[in-house]
Amino acid sequence: MRQHTRFDIGGGIARLTLARPEIRNAITDESMLLEIISAFAEAEVDESVRVMVVTGDGPAFSAGGNVNDMAARSGMFAGEPGSIAEAYRRGIQRLTSTVLGSDLALIAAVNGPAIGAGFDLALGCDLRIASTEARFAHTFVDLGILPGDGGAWLLPRTAGWQLASELAFTGRSLSAEEAHSAGIVLEVVEPDRLQARSTELAETIAAKPVHSVRLTKRLLRHARTADLETFLDLTAAYQAIAHADPAHHEAVTRFVERLRQR
C-alpha cells in the first residue's frame, strides 16, 4: 500500500505524485524511495505505457534530502562514513539509476521548488515543464555536503559546464524563467495550467507506437556515453527491431493511404 506517493496508469500514461507535502516531498526516506522505485518498475513492465509524468503534491516538487534527518544523523545519514556511503548507494543513488535507466519518456511537472536531490529527480526526466512558482537549486554546498545522488553528473549535461559549476559552487536558486532561458526547462506555465499541459504533452507521446517510443528513449540514453561507431551499431539494431514490429507496418500503411487521398 502506498503511503507517500500516488500512482496510476491509464491511456499509455503513468502518473506518479510525490505526496508528503508536510516535509515538502523530501525523497531520502527509505519508504519514499522504495515507493518511487516500485512505481517505475510497475510502469516499465506494463507494455502499454509509453510515458510517465512525475509531479509533487502541495507547494513543493521536492525538497530533496530530509534536513531534519541530517541534523539528527538518522535514517540514511546515520553511522560512520562507511555506513553512510553504503546508504547512499542503496538509497538515493539507486533512485537515480532507476530514473536514468527507464525506457519510458519521462516528464517532470515541476509544481514548486525542486531543491537538491529534488532538482536532480527533475533533471533525470527527459522533459521538464515548470509552474511559474517553481525554482531550482543545488543547495548541497550550503549544507556542507555535495551532490551525493549523482547530481554532479546530471547538471552539466543539462545546463552546460559553466552554469552547472556556478550553481553547484554557490547554491544559487534559479527561477522558472531563468531555468527556461538556460534550457533546463522546456516550458513555463501558470500553476493552474501545469497538470493540463503536462497531460497534453504526455498524451501526444502516448499516441505514438510504444515500441518506437521506448527504443527511441533507449537510443537517446546511449547517446550520452557511446562513441559514434558503437552508437551507429546500436541504432541499426534498434531500427531493425522497429521495422519488424507490426505497429510499423500499420503506421506506414496509414501514411500511404493519406498520401493517396490528397
Side-chain angles (χ1 to χ4, degrees), residues 64-84:
N66 190 324
V67 180
N68 288 328
D69 286 350
M70 290 184 200
R73 297 187 178 183
S74 63
M76 67 176 288
F77 310 111
E80 298 301 316
S83 299
I84 295 173

Side-chain angles (χ1 to χ4, degrees), residues 84-95:
I84 295 173
E86 188 59 29
Y88 269 87
R89 285 190 288 267
R90 292 195 315 266
I92 194 69
Q93 290 184 357
R94 184 181 166 205
L95 173 60

Side-chain angles (χ1 to χ4, degrees), residues 2-90:
R2 296 185 176 278
Q3 296 181 318
H4 308 309
T5 60
R6 296 193 299 274
F7 181 68
D8 64 86
I9 292 174
I13 303 168
R15 293 176 175 83
L16 173 65
T17 302
L18 311 180
R20 297 195 71 187
E22 71 279 5
I23 57 168
R24 297 175 65 80
N25 299 322
I27 57 177
T28 49
D29 294 358
E30 183 179 9
S31 55
M32 173 69 101
L33 287 169
L34 290 176
E35 287 190 22
I36 298 171
I37 290 169
S38 70
F40 272 84
E42 185 175 338
E44 290 283 349
V45 299
D46 188 325
E47 295 182 357
S48 72
V49 178
R50 284 87 156 161
V51 57
M52 184 168 177
V53 178
V54 182
T55 193
D57 188 16
F61 177 76
S62 174
N66 190 324
V67 180
N68 288 328
D69 286 350
M70 290 184 200
R73 297 187 178 183
S74 63
M76 67 176 288
F77 310 111
E80 298 301 316
S83 299
I84 295 173
E86 188 59 29
Y88 269 87
R89 285 190 288 267
R90 292 195 315 266

